[in-house]
Amino acid sequence: MASVLEVIEAGPLSTIQDRGRFGYQRFGISASGPMDMVAFRLANTLVGNDETAAAIEMTLAGATLKVCADRCHMAYAGAPAPIAIDGNPVPANASFMVERGATIAVGAMRSGLRGYLAVAGGILCDPVLKSRATHTRSGIGGLDGAQLKVGQELPVAPRGNAESCWEIDLELIPPLVGPVRVLLGPQDDMFTAAGIETLLKCEYHLSAKVDRMGCQLEGPRIEHRGDFNIVSDGIVNGSIQVPGNWLAHHPARRSPNDGRLCQDRNGDQRGPSQDSANTPRRGAAL
């Protein structure tokens, strides 16, 4: 008999994500998938899953779930947050058993922004284009292509008879706070030397305009050599887009606001790109 997790509290933005939906960008369908791949893979590994298994991505604050059938072997990794089974605290970055009828609750993140709750066997919602990853703007993947809602039931595999639980040495987990390395991009000659120096030496703050497509940063204006408009082309994960009046950084896990599912650069100059080694830190914090 398969297990079922009932959503008691959904949290502000909890979605089902697997590794991503690949091979469809030429049709305008973005990959989706976890913002913090390291934490996602860690949670799955702790319960013995393949790293591609679907898990729950929680943003800012977690969800509360009730085990309504077989016991579940579960683990949480990512942004630090209080975790409890029927009110009894359990550690993060470790796996644990949740018995039938018990409730697991993940509270508000104390630092960082995203955490992942994995269950042995993975979340078994129906795949769309070979992936269970939720893409809310196009309404595909997950449950009804949307964030989790109170009362929903999540099917999971009946793999709750693990002989042992696991934990990871916290020193092995990449820090969420620290410098972000950037590499100058193919349009760096379209910025003045002063403009590049401004970006690399000045402080920029995260604005309220943040979602899984990207975030807008606020800070000193970066000087262009001339017109900032160029021919649109593709954008890679971690690129920093510099329009005429603000600086924007795009994690590129889902689509922009203009209705396209596959992100491009919209004709604005692209300055540096962030090194791929920064991806976990960026995804956890943005």
Side-chain angles (χ1 to χ4, degrees):
M1 179 180 181
S3 298
V4 172
L5 299 177
E6 180 185 355
V7 180
I8 306 301
E9 295 181 6
L13 180 59
S14 299
T15 60
I16 295 171
Q17 299 292 340
D18 60 14
R19 188 167 177 268
R21 185 173 287 103
F22 299 103
Y24 297 96
Q25 285 189 306
R26 66 185 183 275
F27 303 119
I29 299 175
S30 62
S32 302
M35 291 289 289
D36 183 350
M37 184 65 76
V38 169
F40 170 81
R41 294 172 64 184
L42 174 58
N44 269 323
T45 299
L46 285 168
V47 294
N49 286 346
D50 183 274
E51 66 178 32
T52 63
I56 302 173
E57 179 182 85
M58 303 174 181
T59 303
L60 193 60
T64 299
L65 306 167
K66 181 178 180 180
V67 177
C68 295
D70 292 348
R71 69 200 303 237
C72 291
H73 185 201
M74 306 178 77
Y76 174 88
I83 311 160
I85 299 174
D86 287 341
N88 300 308
V90 294
N93 303 304
S95 65
F96 39 81
M97 300 303 301
V98 186
E99 301 294 336
R100 180 173 183 171
T103 297
I104 177 169
V106 179
M109 281 67 176
R110 293 188 288 263
S111 64
L113 192 61
R114 292 183 173 86
Y116 297 84
L117 186 67
V119 57
I123 307 295
L124 300 183
C125 57
D126 293 333
V128 177
L129 298 177
K130 302 179 182 179
S131 171
R132 294 182 169 92
T134 306
H135 189 284
T136 57
R137 294 198 179 184
S138 59
I140 61 175
L143 291 184
D144 302 321
Q147 66 190 72
L148 298 186
K149 300 179 180 64
V150 173
Q152 286 181 320
E153 294 185 343
L154 314 182
V156 297
R159 291 179 53 187
N161 295 317
E163 295 182 0
S164 59
C165 294
W166 301 88
E167 60 182 330
I168 189 170
D169 186 344
L170 298 181
E171 292 184 359
L172 300 177
I173 300 175
L176 297 179
V177 178
V180 176
R181 183 171 61 180
V182 298
L183 306 174
L184 294 182
Q187 285 84 29
D188 62 331
D189 60 338
M190 295 183 174
F191 301 90
T192 65
I196 293 176
E197 185 177 19
T198 296
L199 170 65
L200 298 180
K201 292 186 176 181
C202 294
E203 283 192 1
Y204 289 86
H205 300 276
L206 189 64
S207 75
K209 297 180 179 179
V210 180
D211 64 11
R212 283 176 53 85
M213 185 274 285
C215 68
Q216 180 173 312
L217 303 178
E218 296 176 340
R221 185 166 179 169
I222 298 174
E223 184 179 55
H224 298 82
R225 288 189 181 276
D227 187 5
F228 61 85
N229 289 304
I230 61 174
V231 176
S232 295
D233 62 8
I235 190 169
V236 299
N237 191 8
S239 290
I240 299 174
Q241 180 176 331
V242 188
N245 58 350
W246 46 269
L247 172 73
H249 156 245
H250 293 283
R253 298 303 300 186
R254 79 172 198 188
S255 63
N257 291 323
D258 60 6
R260 285 170 289 190
L261 300 184
C262 187
Q263 184 170 324
D264 68 24
R265 194 154 29 86
N266 296 331
D268 297 313
Q269 291 173 10
R270 183 173 62 211
S273 292
Q274 295 180 40
D275 189 291
S276 60
N278 294 310
T279 301
R281 180 178 298 166
R282 189 178 66 241
L286 299 180

